[in-house]
Amino acid sequence: MTIDPTTVNASEFQAYLQSAVAPRPIAFASTVDKDGKVNLSPFSYFNVFSSNPPILVFSPSRRVRDNTTKHTLENVHDVKEVVINIIDFSLVEQMSLASTEYDKGVNEFTKAGLTEVKSLKVAPPRVKEAPVSFECLVKEIISLGDQGGAGNLIICEVVLAHIDDAILDQNGLVDPFKFEAVARMGGNWYCRVTKESLFEIPKPIRNKGIGVDQLPDVVKNSMVLTGNNLGRLGNIEKLPSDEDVWEYGNRPEIVEIKVRFQNDKESLLFNLHTHAKSLLESGNIEDAWKVLLQ
C-alpha cells in the first residue's frame, strides 16, 4: 500500500504515523499558567535531541477534530518552564487518566492521584511517583502549522535531573532491568519493557566492520542466515585466520557434520550455516565465522 498524505484525511494519516513510528517514549509534562495553576499531560511526540547542551523536545499537536490547542502549549507560552516526567509501568494508568481533556485550571495531579513535589529551579512541580524527572527551561517553541494535527515543537533545556536511586545499577546508571519503561504505540496500544524483551547489540563505534558487501557469496546468499545475522557478521573487522578455521574444523561437532554430509554439498552448507546461526545468536561471532568458513 502506498499513501499520499494529501489524499486522506488528517486523522486517518495520523493513525498510520502513530502506528508505524513506534514505540515512542512519553513526556509526562507538568506546566503552570501565568496565574500559577498547574497542568499535567502526556505527549508521545517526544525524544532527546542533544546531550550537551541537554535538550529534550516534545510536541503538543493541535487537535485534529477541531483545531484547538492544548493547555500545555498555552502554558509554556506564558511561563517558559516545564518538568518532563518519565513514567514507568506502575504509573501508566494514572498517566492515561491525566490525558483527559479537563477544563482549564483543573489540576491533573489531583485527578490522577499523583503527588506534586516542588521543583528546585523551575516553577512547575514534578511528579513524586515518577522514576525520572527533568526540570527544563523552554528555549524555543516552533509552530509547524495552523491546521488540526499540526505540531508545536517545544525545545527544552534540562537544568536539573531527578532519578530514583531504585532504578540505578552499581555504577550509578539507569538499569533497564530495574526501570520498567513504557512507550506509546498506535491506537490504545502501549508496550512495556521487560527482562524478556531486552537484548543487546554491540555498537560499531570503535571498530569498522567489513560490511555485508564483503561477505563471501556462500554466506551472503545463505538460505539459513537472516538479514540480522548478516548484519552481525559484517560487524567484524577481519576474518579469522586459515589456521584458526582449520583448527576449529577438528572439533567433534564440525567433523560429524562434515562426515555425515560429505556427499551432499547442499545439506552440508545447510547444517554448517544452521550451527553457525545458533552460535551467532548466542553472541559468539568469532566461532560462527570459523564454522561458515569450513
Side-chain angles (χ1 to χ4, degrees):
M1 179 169 62
T2 301
I3 306 170
D4 182 338
T6 63
T7 63
V8 297
N9 63 52
S11 59
E12 184 179 350
F13 200 68
Q14 179 187 51
Y16 287 119
L17 284 171
Q18 293 179 339
S19 298
V21 184
R24 301 183 305 281
I26 301 167
F28 203 17
S30 49
T31 57
V32 294
D33 65 13
K34 59 186 177 182
D35 298 319
K37 293 182 179 178
V38 175
N39 181 268
L40 179 65
S41 187
F43 300 92
S44 68
Y45 291 178
F46 162 63
N47 221 308
V48 56
F49 283 81
S50 172
S51 57
N52 187 22
I55 299 294
L56 305 176
V57 178
F58 72 102
S59 177
S61 297
R62 303 178 73 92
R63 295 183 179 91
V64 173
R65 68 174 183 276
D66 58 10
N67 199 21
T68 56
T69 58
K70 298 180 180 180
H71 298 145
T72 298
L73 178 62
E74 297 165 9
N75 287 356
V76 295
H77 275 292
D78 290 340
V79 179
K80 290 183 166 48
E81 299 176 345
V82 61
V83 177
I84 296 180
N85 304 278
I86 308 296
I87 66 163
D88 61 8
F89 182 71
S90 69
L91 295 175
V92 69
E93 293 283 1
Q94 289 168 286
M95 175 275 298
S96 179
L97 178 57
S99 69
T100 302
E101 293 180 9
Y102 293 112
D103 293 338
K104 188 171 177 60
V106 172
N107 188 332
E108 287 84 1
F109 275 89
T110 303
K111 288 292 186 181
L114 296 168
T115 309
E116 293 182 34
V117 175
K118 183 176 177 58
S119 296
L120 301 181
K121 291 191 174 185
V122 299
R126 59 188 177 91
V127 176
K128 179 181 180 181
E129 294 82 0
V132 182
S133 296
F134 297 105
E135 297 185 24
C136 303
L137 299 178
V138 174
K139 307 299 289 184
E140 191 174 0
I141 303 171
I142 302 174
S143 172
L144 300 179
D146 58 6
Q147 300 300 307
N152 295 273
L153 303 185
I154 301 178
I155 301 174
C156 312
E157 181 173 353
V158 178
V159 294
L160 203 63
H162 305 273
I163 303 176
D164 189 342
D165 293 340
I167 67 169
L168 300 179
D169 63 18
Q170 59 185 5
N171 298 314
L173 301 175
V174 174
D175 187 334
F177 293 100
K178 295 179 180 179
F179 176 36
E180 204 168 16
V182 295
R184 198 73 167 85
M185 306 293 283
N188 293 328
W189 292 98
Y190 292 77
C191 66
R192 172 185 183 181
V193 175
T194 63
K195 181 178 180 180
E196 292 73 25
S197 67
L198 288 167
F199 60 94
E200 287 186 294
I201 297 177
K203 290 185 178 181
I205 296 175
R206 295 180 177 84
N207 66 301
K208 187 178 291 185
I210 62 173
V212 172
D213 61 317
Q214 297 300 309
L215 303 185
D217 287 343
V218 69
V219 174
K220 191 161 44 177
N221 299 323
S222 172
M223 298 298 291
V224 175
L225 301 173
T226 67
N228 273 337
N229 296 149
L230 298 182
R232 177 65 65 89
L233 289 168
N235 194 30
I236 197 168
E237 285 191 284
K238 62 179 181 179
L239 299 179
S241 68
D242 291 342
E243 182 181 352
D244 287 341
V245 173
W246 179 84
E247 184 178 343
Y248 197 89
N250 291 319
R251 292 196 174 195
E253 65 272 22
I254 305 302
V255 171
E256 181 183 353
I257 294 173
K258 287 180 174 179
V259 171
R260 184 177 179 186
F261 300 104
Q262 58 184 324
N263 297 320
D264 185 347
K265 184 177 180 180
E266 186 174 318
S267 294
L268 175 63
L269 285 176
F270 179 86
N271 282 272
L272 285 173
H273 286 203
T274 300
H275 186 62
K277 180 181 174 72
S278 66
L279 290 169
L280 195 60
E281 294 184 344
S282 67
N284 194 342
I285 185 173
E286 291 188 5
D287 284 354
W289 265 116
K290 292 171 186 175
V291 174
L292 293 169
L293 295 175
Q294 294 298 317

